[in-house]
Each structure stands twice: as C-alpha cells, then as structure tokens.
Amino acid sequence: MASQLYPKKVWQILNTDEKKDIVDVLLENRNLKTKKEKDDFFDPIKPEDIKLKDLEIDVSEIKKAIKRINLAKKNNEKVFVYGDYDADGVTATAIMWEALHKLKVDAMPYIPDRFIEGYGINKKTLARLKQENENLKVIITVDNGIVAYEAIDAAEKLGIDIIVTDHHEAEKKKNKQVCHPDKAFAIIHTKKICGSAISWIVARELGVTTGLELAGIGTIADQMPLTAANRSFAKYGIEALKKTKRAGLIELLHDAKVEMENISTYEINYIIAPRINAMGRLVHAIEALRLLCVKDPKRAKELAKLISKTNSQRQEIVEKTVVSTQRKMENFNDSIIFLSDKNYHEGVIGLAAGRLVEEFYLPAIVVSRGREFSKGSARSIEGINIIEMIREHAEILVAHGGHTMAAGFTIKTSKIEEFQKRLNKTAKKLLTDEILQRKLKIDSLLDFKLINWELVKKIKQFEPTGNGNPTPSFVTQTVKIIDKRLLGKDKTHLKLKLSKDSKFFDAIGFGIAKDFSNLEKGDLVDVCYNIEENEWNGVKSLQLRIRDLKQV
C-alpha cells in the first residue's frame, strides 16, 4: 500500500506562551475577540430569542408558510410532514409533527424507506400519498427538499403545496447564483442551523415550543459547528435532554446505561444518535420516530430494546464492510478512494466511507452496487467540498445531495466506472500536498504543574464542545513513560502513566495501541491530550485522553 496513505499528523500549536491565561488563549483560538462575542459564547442566547435575520431565514417565507398551515387547519386539509431517516431528519420530523398536532392541524409524519424510496420527496411517493389521502393539500419537508425540483413540480400538478424546510446545499447556476425550486409554496432555507433546529424555529413562529432536546440531538448528531445559534441549540438542548419526560428517550438512555445528569455531546454522538440512525440504516426509521414521540412506558421500553438490538446489528455489519473495504485498499493507487461492491450494505456505506477517511485521510466514496441502480455515500477531508466535486458530474447521476463534508448519490450501475474515472481526474487537480497533510490543531503548550481541578473548571465553561468548538487540547513536552499497558479484548487501547517535574498522570488512548507499539517504559515523549475526569470506585481523578504522541 502506498506510504502516502499514512500521513503523519503535523501538530499546529496555536499558543506557545505558557504564561497567558488559559481562558484567554482558548477564546482567541476560537476567534472570539470582542466582549460581546465572549459573553454570547459563555451565556448563549436562548433559542426562544434567536432572530430570524441572524439565521438568514427569509421572514416573508416564514409568514407564507404559517399562513398556509393556518389555512390548512381552518379547511381541515390533510398535511404531511415529510422527513428523513437520519437522526437530524427523524428529530426534525418529530418536532414539526408534534407542533402541528398541538395546533390541532390534521397532520401525519412520513419517513421514506431508504431502500425503496431513497432520500427526499419523489414523484412516486407523492402520487401514492395523494391517492391514499384525497384531502392531502400540504406537505412540509424537513431536512430535505431544497433540490427536489421534479417532485415539487409534480406536487403542483397534484394540487399539493410544498413548504420546504431544509439546510442542505442548494444548487448553484453557472453564474454561481443559488437556485431554489420555484414551484415550492414557501422555502425556509438556511445553512446556519440543522434540519431539526429549523423545525423548532418554525414551530416557535407558529406559537409552539416543543422538542428543544430533539433539536439539540439533531444539531450535535449532524455535526453542526457548535458556535452562534448552534451553540444555543446544543447547550439548551442538552439541558432539556437531562430533564426530558419523553418515555422513549428515558428508556433508550436506561438501556444504554447512561445517567441523565451525565449527558454531554459525547453521549449524543456515540450513544443516542447511532441508535436513532440504526433503524433507518437497516430497516425503517419510523420506529425511531415512534420512540421519540411515544407516551406509553411499556411501549417505550419495547422500542428502546428493538433500537438497541438493531444498533448492535448495525455495528456488526459496519465492521464486516470496513474489513472488506480495507482489503481492497491493498493495491490502491488512485487520487480518491472509490470502492464499490454488490455485498456492501446500503445502510452503512456512509459509515464505512467515514472510517476510510479516518484511516487513510483521503476523500472516500463507497458504493452499494445494485442490478440497475446503485447508491453511493461520500465523506471528505478538510479543504475538499465533496458535494461540489460530485455535482461537477451531475449529468451522469440519477440523484445527489449533501454537504461540504458528506454527500450521497444514486447512479446507474453501468455508469459507476465512468464516474470513478471522472472523480479521480477532478480529485487529482484538487488534492494538493497541503490539503493532504493531516493537521492536528492544539490549543496550547501546558505544564503538568498547571493541571488541576481549577483548570478543569475553566475548561468546562467551553462545553458543549464539538465541531467548530473542539474540546480544549494541550501539549506537554519531554514527558517520561513510567508504565505502559494494553487494554481491551484485542489490546487496541493504550494506557500510560506519565511523569514530569514530580507530577504524575494516567493517560489513555483508545484504538491507538498499534500506532505506538514501539514505545517502552522510560521513553520520553511529547504528548497531545485533552483533560478529563475519571471516576473509579467512587474516587474522582484527572486523567489525560491521548490524541497523539511523538517520541523525543
């Protein structure tokens, strides 16, 4: 395998002056300079008070949407909330449907089948829904619709008004002007917040505030940058989640052995969101929607068990797919990772692509080959806009959509090889040495003597952390390894005891043991880490979460 597939991380230490106040350093590194920016960061505006203009949402479109929804209620017309099968789409659907239900609108939620209908509204589904519901007059899309030109044209002919609420990339004309579906009744579109947060804002404008914990889950799960409005939804969403009365979420967290008071972005990213996503990846996301909305505790317990079981199955399938894709990488010699196979499960190809990006640091596309049509999922690296790269070749695709870092598409199976060649040609021009260099941004150098509970208290002010507001990270140089152990069933985790200037800390790095197999007791290393609390047998201590190591 080509050696360039394993680029060493270049450490970018943003502050090397250890005398600077750590809070000032962290604020500066997050580009927060003015007093207002800092105040808003530490005390975010409540979602109830966020202005539409700050979200770049067209007020006139919101007014049109509200007027049409109120008319539907007055005339007792049928309204469908048309969602998506990922965590953001499912939470967005739940929020919008619950808001309409509270307003006594005759509304029904609808989640498409990933394997039969695919992403977003389509003509066939619209025709079926209209046939089954003669009085269907309004469809509100959530987390989709901004590129659904054909479906929206078809809806007009069926006498259905489409209200689009979406945050995905809109298409652009050759003159770079943004292009929206012109037959939509109203378009509520912004890239400032995610689909579930847009649903929450629309519900707010309708006079209903429901599902803030769901908007928080969607914001964090969809990897939105946790600054500005997204920080508001994440922070107050987590607070609402800790107090949630939703029977399904309570049972899901209980089943996963998560204590409500300990919920953070980690629990949402790695426990809650994967379980919600699992249903749409393997079977149908409607059960995940039911889990969020269910009132009966017994039914909530059943749904939580089903979803956790499905998530375990999803994990097994992902591992098999990743092993298969890694084998195919042995003779890799292209500009972009592009793998296709009839045995790849359509529901997990996005996860497999993400794992390939993590390991090889190249944009990755994984395609589940079908007899006539195939589905592909793409993940990217910093500096490469994957949806724009895919759109350059839109004429040979059946459908496509997504974000800068993640996208999906449908293609005729006969066109896969041509598409692969085209993408490799495009990628070759874009993938410069600079872009291909894996970078690790680090907040500051830090002396072990400064690591204490007071420092942790200061760091906690920066929560919730995530995309756009990373967990504060530090480097301590020339640290001595006092002890080394391998943990886990497959010995993949690295546990170290580190020392410098008579200060000792336990440090753990998950899944990194093979990368540092050469390290021994007594070696000196520079260590990059996050500081975290650890509790064992009721005793709390500080430990370091290893992000990278360099032998001195």
Side-chain angles (χ1 to χ4, degrees), residues 171-179 388:
E171 287 189 358
K172 291 179 182 175
K173 297 176 181 177
K174 287 183 179 178
N175 61 4
K176 302 294 183 183
Q177 275 193 320
V178 173
C179 183
E388 289 300 324

Side-chain angles (χ1 to χ4, degrees), residues 47 52 55 57 62 193 197-205 233:
L52 293 176
L55 297 174
I57 288 176
I62 282 264
I193 53 177
I198 296 174
S199 276
W200 194 92
I201 290 291
V202 173
R204 183 193 76 178
E205 295 302 301
F233 279 105

Side-chain angles (χ1 to χ4, degrees), residues 7 94 143 145 154 183 198 213 218 220 227 274 328 332 379 407 456 489:
D143 200 33
K183 297 287 178 69
I198 296 174
E213 70 270 61
I220 293 162
T227 55
K328 289 193 175 189
F332 179 85
R379 298 293 183 270
V456 170
K489 187 174 71 173

